[in-house]
Amino acid sequence: MRWVIVLFLFFIYIINYADKAIVGYAAVPIMSDLNLTYAEWGLVGSSFYWLFSIGGIFGAALIDKFGTKKLLIVMAIAWTVAQFSAFAIQGLTLLVITRVILGAFEGPYLATAVNQISKWFPPERRAFALSLANCGSMGAKVIAPLLILIVHTYSWRIAFGFLGTLSLIWVILWTIFGKEQPKKQKISEVSKNELPKIKWSVLIKRLMKKDFIFTILAFFSAFWILSWSFVWMPIYLTEIIHLSPTYMGYTVAGIGIFTSVGSVLAAMLSDYVLRKTKSHRKSRVFVAGYALILASIALYLTTVVHSIVGAVIALAFGVMLVNTVFSIAPQIANQLLPERPGLASGTLIGLANLAGIIGPLVTGWVVQLANGNTTLGFNYSITVGASVVFVFSLLFIIFTNPDRTSVKENHLIIKQPSIKKLSSQKQ
């Protein structure tokens, strides 16, 4: 059953990613239809993340209370409504509002998926299982040619409605076949009914440790590039690399397949090192950190390579290496706060997603300030993103060591409810 759960998460992540990416695929038609400037388009891209972080943290806090199955149903229904609202959009304001609503309800998804995986897989298999589910994000790139075909054959509104229909179908199937957790809970460290009570002051203290902060910064840099790929990469491929919409779709699909394979291999490597060394620093921090450094170099090369093929290859490596972090960083957060995995992952993802607010706006401003030289503007924006990734990943490698987490402290916190229960039984 656990692989069926992974399959469900894989398909909903296709929808989740496509919901975000569709604005990039339809960027030129939308900007033309609604008469938007580059700066205004940066605002549209940024608006998706205005409530994304808040929704992620708030939603993740509800995971431990209401369960992952119910939360996934609520989220997918909201996505359906938000996508169908495209038929009513006539200007910038309503487009921004619908993107804000969609972002608010997509915010908790990754933390929910991490929590769901944690219930079905042991620690040394979770990064691999999550990487398979995360391949759905790249699966959305594989169907990019189909979405682009719908956009240019029918309209961008029809493409939005198509994704809303997929969300609705997923909700129906998940309601019937989805499971919260195994009948015999042997994998999760703490069952739902035995969650320990922890004061907010203790939680905040744990979340303010430098290990957690530098993990957030590394994840922040990865989300910077991810949001750029959603909002700006299709425009970059068509207007700077000069690909036709059709070839742009095939290129995005190729990058998606390459990224999926690379992400899974990196997750397998991380899990393998964890099994061999029992060290989260060697298995999680080093694998993710060095992948980010290589990603920053590859992204920068796209600005200096003059051939179309070379630029696409460098871009593909940059995106692939950045995406390896998405299955690894949540494992670090859960290691730092194992008694509240939903809150740990949600806080990490919610705060890191602030890059989604900043990144698209910065790109829009930089391109707009280039005074018509869009190639120069895009090159500067990519350089900024690559620099953010390089600096934050370097700090991440130097200062983050999850192995320092007090095992004794975590053990006592997790076991506390059982001790109380035993005491009451003796009395």
Side-chain angles (χ1 to χ4, degrees):
M1 182 65 194
R2 62 181 183 175
W3 295 111
V4 174
I5 297 298
V6 171
L7 189 63
F8 266 109
L9 295 177
F10 169 80
F11 280 112
I12 194 175
Y13 207 11
I14 290 179
I15 300 169
N16 175 285
Y17 190 100
D19 284 348
K20 291 191 278 285
I22 188 65
V23 292
Y25 303 153
V28 175
I30 294 175
M31 291 175 69
S32 176
D33 189 15
L34 303 182
N35 195 26
L36 304 179
T37 66
Y38 282 116
E40 288 173 331
W41 187 246
L43 181 68
V44 172
S46 172
S47 65
F48 177 87
Y49 294 94
W50 291 354
L51 294 181
F52 191 98
S53 297
I54 295 174
I57 296 173
F58 180 74
L62 298 177
I63 292 173
D64 299 321
K65 184 175 183 181
F66 295 104
T68 51
K69 181 176 180 177
K70 291 180 180 178
L71 215 59
L72 286 168
I73 290 174
V74 171
M75 284 188 287
I77 291 174
W79 303 353
T80 300
V81 174
Q83 293 296 65
F84 275 117
S85 67
F87 293 100
I89 295 174
Q90 298 299 326
L92 174 64
T93 301
L94 192 55
L95 177 60
V96 167
I97 291 174
T98 58
R99 297 304 291 176
V100 169
I101 294 173
L102 182 64
F105 282 93
E106 287 202 355
Y109 169 72
L110 187 52
T112 307
V114 171
N115 195 271
Q116 183 79 349
I117 291 291
S118 298
K119 295 175 181 179
W120 291 86
F121 291 87
E124 65 274 10
R125 296 287 291 171
R126 289 174 186 168
F128 173 66
L130 185 59
S131 71
L132 292 179
N134 284 350
C135 282
S137 66
M138 300 306 112
K141 287 187 175 181
V142 173
I143 66 170
L146 173 62
L147 296 177
I148 293 169
L149 178 65
I150 295 174
V151 168
H152 290 277
T153 303
Y154 300 99
S155 73
W156 61 272
R157 302 177 198 274
I158 296 294
F160 278 53
F162 172 73
L163 292 177
T165 302
L166 292 183
S167 297
L168 184 58
I169 293 173
W170 188 92
V171 167
I172 295 172
L173 294 176
W174 176 251
T175 302
I176 298 172
F177 301 108
K179 302 259 182 212
E180 178 74 24
Q181 61 188 25
K183 290 182 179 180
K184 294 182 179 180
Q185 184 62 279
K186 295 181 180 181
I187 294 175
S188 295
E189 288 84 353
V190 187
S191 69
K192 184 178 177 182
N193 295 326
E194 294 178 342
L195 284 172
K197 293 182 179 180
I198 305 176
K199 294 181 180 180
W200 278 104
S201 59
V202 176
L203 284 174
I204 293 173
K205 183 179 179 180
R206 299 280 291 280
L207 296 177
M208 289 298 292
K209 287 185 176 180
K210 65 180 180 179
D211 294 319
F212 201 84
I213 291 173
F214 286 110
T215 302
I216 290 174
L217 291 177
F219 217 24
F220 175 95
S221 70
F223 270 107
W224 184 294
I225 302 303
L226 183 67
S227 64
W228 182 88
S229 70
F230 288 148
V231 180
W232 293 106
M233 189 171 73
I235 301 176
Y236 174 77
L237 291 174
T238 53
E239 298 194 2
I240 308 303
I241 304 298
H242 302 298
L243 299 179
S244 67
T246 300
Y247 280 106
M248 181 269 285
Y250 292 142
T251 300
V252 170
I255 291 175
I257 295 172
F258 181 63
T259 300
S260 296
V261 174
S263 298
V264 171
L265 291 176
M268 291 174 65
L269 173 63
S270 177
D271 283 346
Y272 173 79
V273 176
L274 179 62
R275 289 194 297 271
K276 290 295 183 180
T277 67
K278 307 300 180 184
S279 169
H280 285 79
R281 176 167 171 79
K282 293 178 181 178
S283 63
R284 307 305 193 194
V285 176
F286 286 171
V287 173
Y290 289 125
L292 284 175
I293 288 179
L294 292 175
S296 67
I297 297 172
L299 290 168
Y300 175 73
L301 288 177
T302 64
T303 67
V304 298
V305 174
H306 297 293
S307 70
I308 294 176
V309 175
V312 169
I313 290 175
L315 182 61
F317 270 100
V319 173
M320 182 272 288
L321 289 165
V322 163
N323 272 272
T324 61
V325 182
F326 288 89
S327 59
I328 297 176
Q331 311 307 323
I332 299 175
N334 290 351
Q335 169 67 15
L336 296 173
L337 193 63
E339 59 274 12
R340 282 290 188 271
L343 180 60
S345 300
T347 303
L348 170 72
I349 296 164
L351 294 178
N353 265 290
L354 292 174
I357 298 176
I358 303 170
L361 284 174
V362 170
T363 300
W365 291 336
V366 170
V367 175
Q368 193 81 13
L369 291 173
N371 295 322
N373 190 341
T374 54
T375 299
L376 183 63
F378 269 101
N379 285 342
Y380 281 157
S381 71
I382 292 173
T383 301
V384 171
S387 300
V388 171
V389 173
F390 181 81
V391 172
F392 286 171
S393 59
L394 191 61
L395 294 173
F396 173 64
I397 291 173
I398 294 173
F399 295 106
T400 306
N401 185 2
D403 298 331
R404 289 179 300 212
T405 301
S406 173
V407 177
K408 182 178 179 181
E409 179 185 5
N410 289 341
H411 178 75
L412 290 174
I413 293 176
I414 293 175
K415 294 297 183 180
Q416 186 178 359
S418 299
I419 294 173
K420 288 184 176 180
K421 185 177 180 180
L422 290 172
S423 299
S424 62
Q425 287 177 351
K426 288 181 179 180
Q427 293 177 354

